[in-house]
Amino acid sequence: MSQYLTKIVSRLSSLKTALRDNLVYIGISADENDTLSQLVPKVLEAEELINDESHFSRCIQRTATQVYIPPGTTGIGDYVFYRYPDVTEYNLADSITSIGCYSFFGNLGITSLTLPASLISIDKYSFSECSNLAEIVMPPLLTSIGDNAFANCTALDLSSLPESLSTVGSRVFYRCASLSITRLPEALTSIPISCFYDCTNLRLDRLPESLTSIGSYAFYNCSNMTLSYLPSGYTSIADYTFFNGTGLTLSSLPDN
């Protein structure tokens, strides 16, 4: 019996330590002498802060190297982790469905990132200028990526995009020289201006049949593309769309 009680006391002590450490981490005052009954109201306070997206940018020091976004968080707001130079690891809650504009802009410390499976949208400039970000795991439910979201992520090597992706903004992968995507999602109907500008390693061998428009400079200087035909629904070619596409092997153009 005494051994059983000892285990319970030990586990409660570990729980108290974990609660205290995590409360302090997200900016709520908690003392090492606090009892469990004193910590519970503070946990309830933390629960209210979970949906306050701007709170994280106020409480996490810019000298942090690891950032943990707690379960229950549904979105990361605008500019929350803008230019955090020392962070090398982000652990994002599986409950997150949206990432705001400029949220991780200029984070030079991150080299890899796993996006939550629940993520649906990435806003403009979210990961722009993260020049050391080489690997990112894309979520299967992602439907939209905003303007310049990954612009100048020169080390980023993606070989595919989620099939659920239906909307991409202008300059999304601008100057992502390491990008090695071979196929685009069939849900895409439009590729905006400069979307894959200067993506010299892009390996596309075909475009979605659903595609009806491609903006100017969309595939500018994408010299490793090996397209042999264009979608039948494609009706016009904008300025400099395939400029310097030396790998293209187009034998014909759509009748319309």
Side-chain angles (χ1 to χ4, degrees):
M1 186 68 168
S2 60
Q3 186 178 10
Y4 179 69
L5 289 173
T6 300
K7 284 185 178 180
I8 292 176
V9 171
S10 175
R11 288 177 179 176
L12 288 174
S13 178
S14 297
L15 174 62
K16 186 173 71 170
T17 301
L19 286 174
R20 184 184 67 245
D21 290 349
N22 281 282
L23 287 168
V24 171
Y25 188 79
I26 63 172
I28 296 176
S29 177
D31 189 84
E32 62 179 10
N33 295 318
D34 282 350
T35 64
L36 279 173
S37 60
Q38 291 172 316
L39 290 171
V40 168
K42 296 179 180 182
V43 171
L44 296 175
E45 179 186 348
E47 202 170 30
E48 293 180 7
L49 288 174
I50 282 174
N51 291 320
D52 180 4
E53 298 169 349
S54 64
H55 176 74
F56 294 110
S57 62
R58 298 195 301 268
C59 72
I60 298 173
Q61 297 299 313
R62 288 185 180 270
T63 54
T65 58
Q66 293 180 311
V67 173
Y68 169 73
I69 308 298
T73 306
T74 57
I76 297 176
D78 301 344
Y79 294 88
V80 172
F81 300 111
Y82 181 87
R83 291 197 186 277
Y84 272 47
D86 299 315
V87 176
T88 58
E89 182 180 352
Y90 285 98
N91 291 302
L92 306 180
D94 287 337
S95 50
I96 293 172
T97 59
S98 63
I99 293 178
C101 65
Y102 291 89
S103 48
F104 295 94
F105 183 98
N107 275 234
L108 301 182
I110 52 173
T111 58
S112 64
L113 183 67
T114 298
L115 296 177
S118 55
L119 190 66
I120 294 173
S121 65
I122 298 173
D123 210 339
K124 61 184 180 181
Y125 291 91
S126 295
F127 297 95
S128 184
E129 309 294 335
C130 294
S131 56
N132 293 313
L133 180 60
E135 182 182 354
I136 190 165
V137 178
M138 287 287 194
L141 302 177
L142 188 67
T143 60
S144 67
I145 304 177
D147 297 346
N148 295 79
F150 294 96
N152 291 311
C153 291
T154 52
L156 184 62
D157 182 9
L158 272 177
S159 59
S160 64
L161 294 170
E163 283 301 319
S164 56
L165 187 64
S166 58
T167 305
V168 291
S170 302
R171 298 171 296 277
V172 167
F173 295 107
Y174 182 88
R175 292 194 187 280
C176 291
S178 300
L179 211 65
S180 60
I181 294 172
T182 58
R183 296 287 174 93
L184 294 177
E186 290 295 331
L188 282 178
T189 58
S190 174
I191 297 177
I193 182 172
S194 300
C195 190
F196 293 97
Y197 184 102
D198 209 19
C199 292
T200 52
N201 197 43
L202 195 68
R203 304 285 175 169
L204 289 178
D205 57 12
R206 62 182 293 272
L207 294 174
E209 279 298 325
S210 55
L211 203 63
T212 57
S213 67
I214 303 177
S216 56
Y217 297 90
F219 295 105
Y220 184 96
N221 203 32
C222 295
S223 53
N224 279 301
M225 285 175 57
T226 57
L227 293 179
S228 58
Y229 71 95
L230 295 176
S232 57
Y234 187 38
T235 57
S236 64
I237 301 176
D239 296 342
Y240 298 95
T241 298
F242 298 106
F243 182 86
N244 201 32
T246 54
L248 297 182
T249 59
L250 295 174
S251 57
S252 63
L253 295 175
D255 292 338
N256 53 349

